Amino acid sequence: MSSQRKNIRLNDTDFYPTPAWCYENLDIDWTQFRSAHEPCRGDGRIQRFLQSHSISTTHSELAEGLDFFEWSDTTDLILTNPPFSLAQQFIDHSLPRANTVIMLLRINFLGSVSRHDWWNSNKPDALHILSKRPSFTGTGVDSIDYAWYMWDKTGRVPAGIHFVKPPTREQAHRDRESCKTALANANTATNNSFFE
């Protein structure tokens, strides 16, 4: 997800890789989770992060023909950066299927007349606010503030408002290059398949 100017796509695929510091710096004990599902795998960075913590992880990814809305299993954790236009549907589909749901969303997702009643029925247990705006493209920070919204049925995730530590200089440099490369690869793959 990334902030966009009205009616202008910032890249050819609507794929926005999540800078790794955004989840690496979350103050969460990942060893608490047994299994996970990543609904928007993209280039697999969140799935690999979870697997590096010995969490058995499955995924959905439309580009691979795996539609999250057709996934009906259950899991311990769902962690993802969903498409903003479908965020509410992603949350609705996730909550009955996972003990803990963690989604990266714009902070202004909280403010909406159309979601007023929905929010009253689906209040998150915690918000982990990104202290620095992320760069999903690797070419500058986004124009919107973000937070990890967390719903938890187990008490493993501390309730309340928390603040995610900003990236170190090394993390910021690594993620800039990683996001630029991921976007270039995604655009190349899309352009190649378009002309087949």
Side-chain angles (χ1 to χ4, degrees):
M1 164 192 342
S2 180
S3 172
Q4 300 184 26
R5 291 182 296 268
K6 189 173 183 175
N7 300 321
I8 297 174
R9 294 169 70 180
L10 297 183
N11 68 58
D12 295 338
T13 61
D14 281 340
F15 162 63
Y16 297 98
T18 307
W21 73 266
C22 296
Y23 43 85
E24 289 173 346
N25 294 2
L26 270 172
D27 189 17
I28 288 179
D29 178 5
W30 297 104
T31 64
Q32 301 176 95
F33 301 102
R34 298 177 314 282
S35 63
H37 187 80
E38 215 295 32
C40 307
R41 183 179 186 273
D43 65 354
R45 60 185 56 215
I46 290 176
Q47 183 177 15
R48 287 190 300 274
F49 170 77
L50 293 170
Q51 290 170 335
S52 76
H53 289 277
S54 301
I55 302 170
S56 174
T57 308
T58 57
H59 73 275
S60 299
E61 174 54 51
L62 274 181
E64 298 174 24
L66 301 170
D67 187 340
F68 177 56
F69 297 111
E70 294 175 1
W71 180 76
S72 59
D73 290 343
T74 58
T75 190
D76 198 18
L77 169 69
I78 289 177
L79 173 69
T80 198
N81 173 1
F84 185 76
S85 63
L86 297 173
Q88 185 174 333
Q89 292 94 316
F90 269 76
I91 296 164
D92 286 339
H93 194 70
S94 298
L95 290 177
R97 291 173 175 80
N99 293 321
T100 304
V101 173
I102 303 175
M103 301 234 176
L104 184 63
L105 301 166
R106 299 173 187 174
I107 291 177
N108 67 2
F109 188 69
L110 289 167
S112 169
V113 171
S114 65
R115 286 189 291 273
H116 174 80
D117 292 337
W118 181 84
W119 272 125
N120 278 315
S121 300
N122 296 284
K123 292 177 185 166
D125 297 295
L127 288 178
H128 286 244
I129 297 165
L130 298 184
S131 296
K132 180 176 175 59
R133 290 177 176 173
S135 174
F136 296 101
T137 62
T139 58
V141 296
D142 206 75
S143 62
I144 300 290
D145 294 302
Y146 290 83
W148 291 101
Y149 291 59
M150 302 185 184
W151 295 263
D152 180 54
K153 301 171 186 171
T154 68
R156 293 178 291 195
V157 176
I161 296 176
H162 308 271
F163 297 89
V164 179
K165 184 172 58 173
T168 63
R169 188 170 290 158
E170 293 77 16
Q171 284 177 313
H173 174 73
R174 175 205 62 197
D175 291 346
R176 251 192 322 274
E177 297 309 310
S178 171
C179 288
K180 278 195 268 190
T181 300
L183 282 173
N185 290 342
N187 286 334
T188 298
T190 299
N191 291 337
N192 288 342
S193 64
F194 180 78
F195 291 109
E196 287 178 353

